[in-house]
mmCIF file of all heavy atoms in Angstrom:
data_model
loop_
_atom_site.group_PDB
_atom_site.id
_atom_site.type_symbol
_atom_site.label_atom_id
_atom_site.label_comp_id
_atom_site.label_asym_id
_atom_site.label_seq_id
_atom_site.Cartn_x
_atom_site.Cartn_y
_atom_site.Cartn_z
ATOM 1 N N TYR L 234 89.643 97.596 82.389
ATOM 2 C CA TYR L 234 88.735 97.235 81.351
ATOM 3 C C TYR L 234 88.367 95.712 81.519
ATOM 4 O O TYR L 234 89.197 94.847 81.956
ATOM 5 C CB TYR L 234 89.401 97.300 79.862
ATOM 6 C CG TYR L 234 88.442 96.824 78.777
ATOM 7 C CD1 TYR L 234 87.400 97.456 78.370
ATOM 8 C CD2 TYR L 234 88.717 95.410 78.363
ATOM 9 C CE1 TYR L 234 86.579 96.912 77.403
ATOM 10 C CE2 TYR L 234 87.891 94.886 77.422
ATOM 11 C CZ TYR L 234 86.846 95.633 76.893
ATOM 12 O OH TYR L 234 86.032 95.033 75.927
ATOM 13 N N THR L 235 87.079 95.472 81.268
ATOM 14 C CA THR L 235 86.657 94.083 81.297
ATOM 15 C C THR L 235 85.294 94.013 80.442
ATOM 16 O O THR L 235 84.654 95.001 80.206
ATOM 17 C CB THR L 235 86.165 93.700 82.749
ATOM 18 O OG1 THR L 235 85.846 92.351 82.806
ATOM 19 C CG2 THR L 235 85.040 94.548 83.223
ATOM 20 N N ASP L 236 85.171 92.737 79.952
ATOM 21 C CA ASP L 236 83.965 92.475 79.197
ATOM 22 C C ASP L 236 83.270 91.275 79.882
ATOM 23 O O ASP L 236 83.692 90.143 79.641
ATOM 24 C CB ASP L 236 84.301 92.130 77.692
ATOM 25 C CG ASP L 236 83.171 91.711 76.838
ATOM 26 O OD1 ASP L 236 82.063 91.832 77.384
ATOM 27 O OD2 ASP L 236 83.392 91.562 75.549
ATOM 28 N N LYS L 237 82.269 91.557 80.551
ATOM 29 C CA LYS L 237 81.491 90.513 81.253
ATOM 30 C C LYS L 237 80.092 90.203 80.479
ATOM 31 O O LYS L 237 79.058 89.897 81.248
ATOM 32 C CB LYS L 237 81.183 91.008 82.694
ATOM 33 C CG LYS L 237 82.469 91.101 83.581
ATOM 34 C CD LYS L 237 82.903 89.716 83.930
ATOM 35 C CE LYS L 237 83.983 89.758 85.040
ATOM 36 N NZ LYS L 237 84.613 88.474 85.243
ATOM 37 N N THR L 238 80.148 90.334 79.193
ATOM 38 C CA THR L 238 78.965 89.978 78.481
ATOM 39 C C THR L 238 78.573 88.550 78.669
ATOM 40 O O THR L 238 79.338 87.582 78.533
ATOM 41 C CB THR L 238 79.112 90.292 76.935
ATOM 42 O OG1 THR L 238 79.542 91.677 76.741
ATOM 43 C CG2 THR L 238 77.964 89.948 76.157
ATOM 44 N N GLN L 239 77.295 88.359 78.999
ATOM 45 C CA GLN L 239 76.866 87.058 79.335
ATOM 46 C C GLN L 239 76.053 86.393 78.129
ATOM 47 O O GLN L 239 75.430 87.021 77.352
ATOM 48 C CB GLN L 239 75.839 87.078 80.476
ATOM 49 C CG GLN L 239 76.304 87.734 81.749
ATOM 50 C CD GLN L 239 77.420 86.965 82.359
ATOM 51 O OE1 GLN L 239 77.291 85.814 82.762
ATOM 52 N NE2 GLN L 239 78.593 87.601 82.484
ATOM 53 N N THR L 240 76.425 85.113 77.900
ATOM 54 C CA THR L 240 75.767 84.383 76.782
ATOM 55 C C THR L 240 74.343 84.144 77.149
ATOM 56 O O THR L 240 73.894 84.292 78.269
ATOM 57 C CB THR L 240 76.554 83.112 76.536
ATOM 58 O OG1 THR L 240 76.545 82.237 77.685
ATOM 59 C CG2 THR L 240 77.906 83.380 76.061
ATOM 60 N N ALA L 241 73.571 83.752 76.111
ATOM 61 C CA ALA L 241 72.151 83.489 76.331
ATOM 62 C C ALA L 241 71.847 82.528 77.479
ATOM 63 O O ALA L 241 72.511 81.354 77.461
ATOM 64 C CB ALA L 241 71.541 83.036 75.022
ATOM 65 N N GLY L 242 70.932 82.822 78.250
ATOM 66 C CA GLY L 242 70.549 81.958 79.426
ATOM 67 C C GLY L 242 71.415 82.195 80.745
ATOM 68 O O GLY L 242 71.145 81.586 81.670
ATOM 69 N N ASN L 243 72.456 82.947 80.606
ATOM 70 C CA ASN L 243 73.342 83.214 81.743
ATOM 71 C C ASN L 243 73.162 84.614 82.344
ATOM 72 O O ASN L 243 72.845 85.550 81.494
ATOM 73 C CB ASN L 243 74.816 82.986 81.489
ATOM 74 C CG ASN L 243 75.181 81.481 81.175
ATOM 75 O OD1 ASN L 243 74.626 80.661 81.867
ATOM 76 N ND2 ASN L 243 76.033 81.238 80.218
ATOM 77 N N THR L 244 73.369 84.746 83.629
ATOM 78 C CA THR L 244 73.211 86.051 84.283
ATOM 79 C C THR L 244 74.356 86.244 85.269
ATOM 80 O O THR L 244 74.992 85.331 85.728
ATOM 81 C CB THR L 244 71.861 86.178 85.049
ATOM 82 O OG1 THR L 244 71.720 85.136 86.039
ATOM 83 C CG2 THR L 244 70.678 86.146 84.108
ATOM 84 N N LEU L 245 74.611 87.486 85.584
ATOM 85 C CA LEU L 245 75.613 87.777 86.512
ATOM 86 C C LEU L 245 75.098 87.465 87.979
ATOM 87 O O LEU L 245 73.929 87.513 88.267
ATOM 88 C CB LEU L 245 75.971 89.297 86.624
ATOM 89 C CG LEU L 245 76.850 89.732 85.359
ATOM 90 C CD1 LEU L 245 76.790 91.278 85.429
ATOM 91 C CD2 LEU L 245 78.324 89.220 85.434
#
Side-chain angles (χ1 to χ4, degrees):
Y234 173 79
T235 186
D236 181 357
K237 291 290 187 183
T238 300
Q239 304 297 300
T240 56
N243 290 323
T244 59
L245 287 169

